[in-house]
Amino acid sequence: MLYKYALIILVFAVLISCKKEDRKIAQNTSKNTIHVDPFIGTGGHGHTYPGATVPFGMLQVTPVNGISSWDWCSGYHYSDSIAVGFSHLALSGTGIGDLADVLFMPINKEVDLSSTPLSRDSLAYKSKYNHKNEKASPGYYQVFLEDHNVNVELTTALRTAYHKYTFAKEDKQAVVIDLGFAINWDRVLKSSINIEDDYTISGYRFSKGWAANQKVFFVAKFSKPITKHHIFTDGNRIENKSSEGEKTSVQLFFDANNSSELFTKVALSSVSVENAKDNLETGDFNFDVVKNKAENTWNEALTKIEVETSVDSLKTMFYTAMYHAQVAPVTFSDKNGQFRKENDEIITAENYTAYSTLSLWDTFRAEHPLLTLTAPDKVSDIINTMLAYYETKKILPVWTLYANETNTMTGYHSIPVIVEAYQKGIRDFDAEKAFEAMKTTMMQDERGLNHYKKHSYIPYNLIDESVTITLEYAYDDWCVAQMAKALGKNDDYEFFLNRSKAYQHLFDNETGFMRGKSEDGKSWNEPFDPKHSNHREQTDYTEGNAWQHSWFVPHAVDNLITLHGGNETFTNRLEQLFTESSEITGDNVSADITGLIGQYAHGNEPSHHIAYMFNHADQPWRTQYWAHHIMDTQYNTTPNGLSGNEDCGQMSAWYALSSIGLYPMNPASAEYEIGSPIFEKATIKISEEKSFIIEAENVSNKNIYIQSATLNGVDFNQTSISHKQIIEGGTLHFVMGSQPNKNWGTTNN
């Protein structure tokens, strides 16, 4: 009898243990971070980095290959197998390279840092690595350096990076810090290193590159005392504990006897070494605690939209897209709120966090709309930052890098970001000041606005890329008009609404394209080839051709359809865009024209809204088909998984939104076009108490067409949904099928 009781207790204990283990596994597998692969986009032309950061973090601690080339804009490319160190600032998916500042490299030998390397081949501290001994996950990166027998692990908090180096037993333990190292557009102007005590070094690095005035101050603390050091400045060995010059580097040595592990933590500031010290987290070097906290922070960020599907690859693509969409913009203000502007003015962000790396030509399209759903608290902060940058030259930002206005790309697309936020009820900023900034920006004379104001369009013979710039200014004007209307400024509303019709001047009814027009208002730029591309010079289009740029009228699609002659002509031309041959003509074709489906170029942003335009021409099933086709062909789970530059989250945000069946074709309208959802269920977390659920019954890779829909149980037969409807919570239920229902979402119904 006792044996029976013992057996029952044992079985019960085993069952309880199994249930606990099952729960543990379930908890682990419920973490969305396990679906993220930071290596997606590090190959091809994705230009992403695999290193450690937290959502919108100040630091991006990541490996650097040491090559200056277009596909190494982030400092890293998956095709490479050489590392020169680990930097603390990086760009995610841009088409221009900069940053890779404050380079650390652990090594197991003494090296001469006096020579000026001609290439990475002459860097004494470089090392081979193998992807088999390399890992990355949200907030964590690891690689084994073969030449130095050092295992490197990296993680980060919001403003502090953590390094863990594990050396081979009895090997020399040393770290090289090279402030003279630079890649791509970057060039160091002045740098300094100061060994403050046995555990602490500090310094600065001033450089000129894409950011014309970049000042980075840093501090680093080590877990072991520095036993010896060699400082080099401009080729000379310095005997002191501090030095400054153009190019400064140091090799630090540590005692190898007591432990094979060496830890360091690093903080930066745009303001001063003192601010960097204030940014540096206090406490010990508990690497695993910081790593786990970073992972938890990411997991929370990745639960803002949760998807359900039995297809693991779709989860990987979705959550990696959500990850990439939250690495930029980056925190720029220090812990005390201070940050440096490009004119060296130090200001304090009062009651907001300042951000930089604002790739607005790209991100206004889907990245910022995504943030209005997933991180609305960040949106107002970003706008307040834009308004602070506006004060520098009384012009709103175009493309801001380390608080420098780079003036890269066309238009003033901080404007739609501001208007979209206001229209969506995100208003923790001074709306009157924002309107003043928008109006002042669009009434000044820089970047072709003088010609735009005089002619109501930009003549092709006066400035390059005239068609793209005109179309984008027209959209910006429409956005200003909407803000004026919302604020009761009727005269301004009428003025900017009228200017927003500028696209009409450039539409050539004979060819069906937007074309360069001369000052006389009559003659077109000849000869004309809609497939012709000339990169950034002697061209009417920015990084593209007439096929790709003629559709940018997101604020007046119905009128664009009328210009084409009606729905039939419009949809035939749209369809031809996707089915035309993919030949691009010209001797200087833009490298940005990638991800081609016909003449549609998903690898560059001007194409991103086009598939959703069928919705406005009574053929929503074509939107459903092409949106699904783009998702199916332009994204995958390999390092080559992005068809073009990631561009600070835009390429990924397009996927994240499109995959749940929504896309903001005109962001400032506060409306989302409906496409083709690919998940059985997607849950947008509006608040702790409220969610908006999108269900797709019968969805599969073949069942891509919407057969019917209900919103909160009521028939839903329209091809758009408002932000207001979404944030009220509820359920949008689609029934999907393999053949188009040509009555759903059309006037035929």
Side-chain angles (χ1 to χ4, degrees):
M1 195 71 169
L2 188 62
Y3 170 78
K4 280 186 176 179
Y5 282 129
L7 186 60
I8 290 169
I9 290 169
L10 179 62
V11 170
F12 185 75
V14 168
L15 287 172
I16 290 292
S17 175
C18 288
K19 285 187 177 295
K20 283 184 177 178
E21 189 61 26
D22 287 346
R23 193 157 57 243
K24 182 179 177 184
I25 292 168
Q27 286 171 348
N28 286 340
T29 55
S30 71
K31 284 193 172 183
N32 294 329
T33 50
I34 67 171
H35 301 296
V36 175
D37 183 355
F39 289 110
I40 292 176
T42 59
H45 301 313
H47 297 184
T48 63
Y49 62 84
T53 190
V54 293
F56 314 103
M58 175 178 274
L59 303 180
Q60 307 85 45
V61 56
T62 186
V64 176
N65 294 137
I67 286 181
S68 291
S69 184
W70 189 57
D71 277 331
W72 279 260
C73 280
S74 73
Y76 177 98
H77 195 266
Y78 198 79
S79 64
D80 215 326
S81 59
I82 301 291
V84 301
F86 305 90
S87 66
H88 293 80
L89 295 173
L91 290 165
S92 179
T94 58
I96 298 174
D98 199 341
L99 304 185
D101 292 70
V102 190
L103 191 77
F104 278 46
M105 183 63 161
I107 62 175
N108 63 351
K109 60 185 178 182
E110 188 172 315
V111 293
D112 181 8
L113 301 175
S114 63
S115 62
T116 301
L118 299 176
S119 69
R120 75 171 180 184
D121 293 338
S122 54
L123 286 173
Y125 51 79
K126 70 180 185 299
S127 175
K128 297 189 296 293
Y129 65 92
N130 191 303
H131 292 307
K132 292 179 181 177
N133 295 315
E134 183 185 32
K135 295 177 184 175
S137 60
Y140 176 73
Y141 174 83
Q142 174 273 325
V143 70
F144 180 75
L145 301 176
E146 295 177 359
D147 291 344
H148 306 313
N149 281 329
V150 180
N151 190 58
V152 176
E153 296 176 81
L154 308 171
T155 191
T156 183
L158 183 65
R159 293 185 176 88
T160 302
Y162 288 75
H163 302 233
K164 177 183 178 182
Y165 308 138
T166 305
F167 294 85
K169 275 191 175 180
E170 299 180 3
D171 263 10
K172 190 184 293 289
Q173 296 183 12
V175 177
V176 169
I177 300 166
D178 191 347
L179 302 183
F181 175 82
I183 58 169
N184 294 309
W185 286 30
D186 186 41
R187 179 171 66 86
V188 66
L189 301 174
K190 188 178 180 183
S191 61
S192 170
I193 288 176
N194 178 32
I195 300 175
E196 296 195 358
D197 57 43
D198 289 347
Y199 295 90
T200 311
I201 69 163
S202 62
Y204 61 78
R205 184 182 189 276
F206 301 165
S207 62
K208 180 180 177 65
W210 193 13
N213 179 26
Q214 189 192 359
K215 290 183 168 69
V216 180
F217 300 85
F218 77 96
V219 63
K221 281 191 176 291
F222 295 89
S223 60
K224 294 180 181 181
I226 301 165
T227 58
K228 185 172 68 168
H229 69 272
H230 296 158
I231 295 180
F232 296 83
T233 299
D234 301 330
N236 300 310
R237 172 84 175 268
I238 307 298
E239 297 302 325
N240 299 328
K241 287 192 172 183
S242 64
S243 182
E244 65 178 6
E246 182 182 331
K247 296 181 178 181
T248 307
S249 57
V250 65
Q251 183 170 15
L252 306 173
F253 299 88
F254 302 87
D255 188 349
N257 294 327
N258 58 353
S259 170
S260 60
E261 294 178 342
L262 174 66
F263 298 88
T264 182
K265 53 184 177 179
V266 183
L268 309 183
S269 167
S270 67
V271 176
S272 65
V273 168
E274 287 305 311
N275 274 22
K277 289 179 179 178
D278 189 41
N279 288 340
L280 190 73
E281 289 199 339
T282 58
D284 57 21
F285 297 86
N286 198 328
F287 185 91
D288 289 337
V289 169
V290 179
K291 174 179 175 287
N292 289 338
K293 186 177 178 182
E295 182 184 348
N296 290 337
T297 302
W298 270 115
N299 195 59
E300 183 179 351
L302 295 172
T303 58
K304 297 301 176 65
I305 301 179
E306 298 209 60
V307 298
E308 296 178 23
T309 177
S310 59
V311 184
D312 287 342
S313 62
L314 295 183
K315 282 187 178 179
T316 297
M317 288 188 284
F318 177 80
Y319 286 111
T320 302
M322 288 288 288
Y323 167 80
H324 278 142
Q326 297 178 82
V327 300
V330 301
T331 297
F332 189 61
S333 54
D334 293 331
K335 188 178 176 183
N336 64 7
Q338 291 184 327
F339 62 99
R340 180 186 300 271
K341 295 204 292 184
E342 64 180 301
N343 61 358
D344 284 321
E345 180 186 2
I346 306 299
I347 66 172
T348 301
E350 300 284 357
N351 302 316
Y352 71 94
T353 298
Y355 290 89
S356 194
T357 309
L358 300 173
S359 180
L360 293 163
W361 188 76
D362 311 288
T363 56
F364 86 91
R365 303 168 196 266
E367 156 87 354
H368 285 282
L370 178 62
L371 296 185
T372 66
L373 290 170
T374 60
D377 57 317
K378 302 286 190 296
V379 174
S380 287
D381 283 4
I382 291 167
I383 292 170
N384 281 314
T385 306
M386 291 175 178
L387 296 178
Y389 294 148
Y390 162 78
E391 294 297 339
T392 309
K393 295 179 180 176
K394 295 299 181 181
I395 299 175
L396 279 165
V398 176
W399 209 124
T400 307
L401 174 61
Y402 222 77
N404 283 242
E405 180 52 75
T406 68
N407 273 314
T408 302
M409 308 311 292
T410 47
Y412 285 101
H413 299 317
S414 45
I415 291 172
V417 172
I418 296 169
V419 178
E420 176 191 26
Y422 191 83
Q423 299 283 58
K424 290 181 175 180
I426 301 171
R427 300 178 177 179
D428 195 13
F429 58 90
D430 186 333
E432 290 290 342
K433 180 180 178 181
F435 180 77
E436 172 209 316
M438 290 187 284
K439 180 178 177 180
T440 302
T441 297
M442 292 306 294
M443 293 304 294
Q444 45 89 17
D445 290 333
E446 293 190 15
R447 290 162 45 86
L449 273 169
N450 53 335
H451 306 308
Y452 179 78
K453 290 189 295 183
K454 180 179 178 181
H455 298 280
S456 298
Y457 65 95
I458 298 176
Y460 77 85
N461 55 308
L462 299 183
I463 191 171
D464 281 341
E465 305 178 349
S466 62
V467 173
T468 299
I469 297 171
T470 297
L471 296 178
E472 294 188 7
Y473 282 162
Y475 178 61
D476 292 338
D477 274 342
W478 183 85
C479 293
V480 178
Q482 303 316 301
M483 192 72 167
K485 184 178 182 180
L487 296 176
K489 301 177 187 295
N490 293 328
D491 289 345
D492 287 324
Y493 168 70
E494 294 293 343
F495 175 82
F496 285 103
L497 186 67
N498 184 59
R499 273 204 342 187
S500 75
K501 299 171 185 175
Y503 63 90
Q504 295 177 351
H505 296 287
L506 300 187
F507 182 76
D508 175 17
N509 188 56
E510 194 171 313
T511 64
F513 292 100
M514 297 289 178
R515 295 183 56 185
K517 182 175 279 188
S518 68
E519 283 179 273
D520 63 18
K522 300 175 183 177
S523 54
W524 302 108
N525 191 1
E526 299 286 359
F528 176 65
D529 174 3
K531 295 183 179 180
H532 185 268
S533 164
N534 202 44
H535 185 65
R536 304 311 303 262
E537 58 182 14
Q538 297 178 347
T539 180
D540 295 335
Y541 311 97
T542 302
E543 296 180 356
N545 61 23
W547 268 115
Q548 291 137 23
H549 283 263
S550 293
W551 310 97
F552 190 73
V553 191
H555 58 293
V557 180
D558 293 344
N559 194 33
L560 182 63
I561 293 170
T562 300
L563 287 177
H564 277 268
N567 285 349
E568 185 177 355
T569 303
F570 181 78
T571 53
N572 285 342
R573 284 175 179 166
L574 261 186
E575 189 73 13
Q576 187 181 354
L577 168 74
F578 290 97
T579 57
E580 184 73 18
S581 80
S582 294
E583 176 194 15
I584 307 293
T585 60
D587 298 326
N588 184 31
V589 172
S590 177
D592 298 275
I593 303 176
T594 58
L596 284 164
I597 303 172
Q599 285 289 311
Y600 174 92
H602 193 70
N604 209 19
E605 279 66 26
S607 288
H608 278 191
H609 69 291
I610 299 175
Y612 291 89
M613 299 181 89
F614 288 102
N615 278 356
H616 283 251
D618 250 3
Q619 289 195 12
W621 65 90
R622 301 311 298 165
T623 282
Q624 293 156 34
Y625 175 84
W626 287 116
H628 188 276
H629 184 77
I630 295 164
M631 284 185 274
D632 204 33
T633 61
Q634 302 301 306
Y635 297 85
N636 62 61
T637 59
T638 73
N640 295 345
L642 297 174
S643 60
N645 299 166
E646 165 64 10
D647 284 316
C648 299
Q650 170 58 27
M651 194 69 67
S652 289
W654 186 97
Y655 185 87
L657 285 168
S658 292
S659 66
I660 64 172
L662 306 175
Y663 191 76
M665 184 180 67
N666 173 6
S669 71
E671 300 270 334
Y672 302 87
E673 298 294 323
I674 290 172
S676 177
I678 65 173
F679 300 111
E680 285 91 345
K681 183 178 181 181
T683 302
I684 303 171
K685 187 176 180 181
I686 307 301
S687 66
E688 289 298 327
E689 302 80 26
K690 194 190 306 180
S691 294
F692 186 79
I693 297 168
I694 301 171
E695 297 172 335
E697 184 181 339
N698 302 327
V699 72
S700 69
N701 201 40
K702 291 182 178 178
N703 292 344
I704 65 172
Y705 295 105
I706 296 171
Q707 305 299 299
S708 63
T710 58
L711 177 62
N712 300 326
V714 178
D715 282 348
F716 186 80
N717 192 49
Q718 61 191 59
T719 58
S720 66
I721 187 169
S722 71
H723 185 80
K724 184 174 184 291
Q725 287 173 299
I726 290 174
I727 62 172
E728 285 174 351
T731 299
L732 179 60
H733 183 90
F734 296 108
V735 176
M736 309 298 290
S738 60
Q739 298 298 317
N741 176 1
K742 296 185 179 181
N743 290 319
W744 184 85
T746 71
T747 55
N748 299 327
N749 191 52

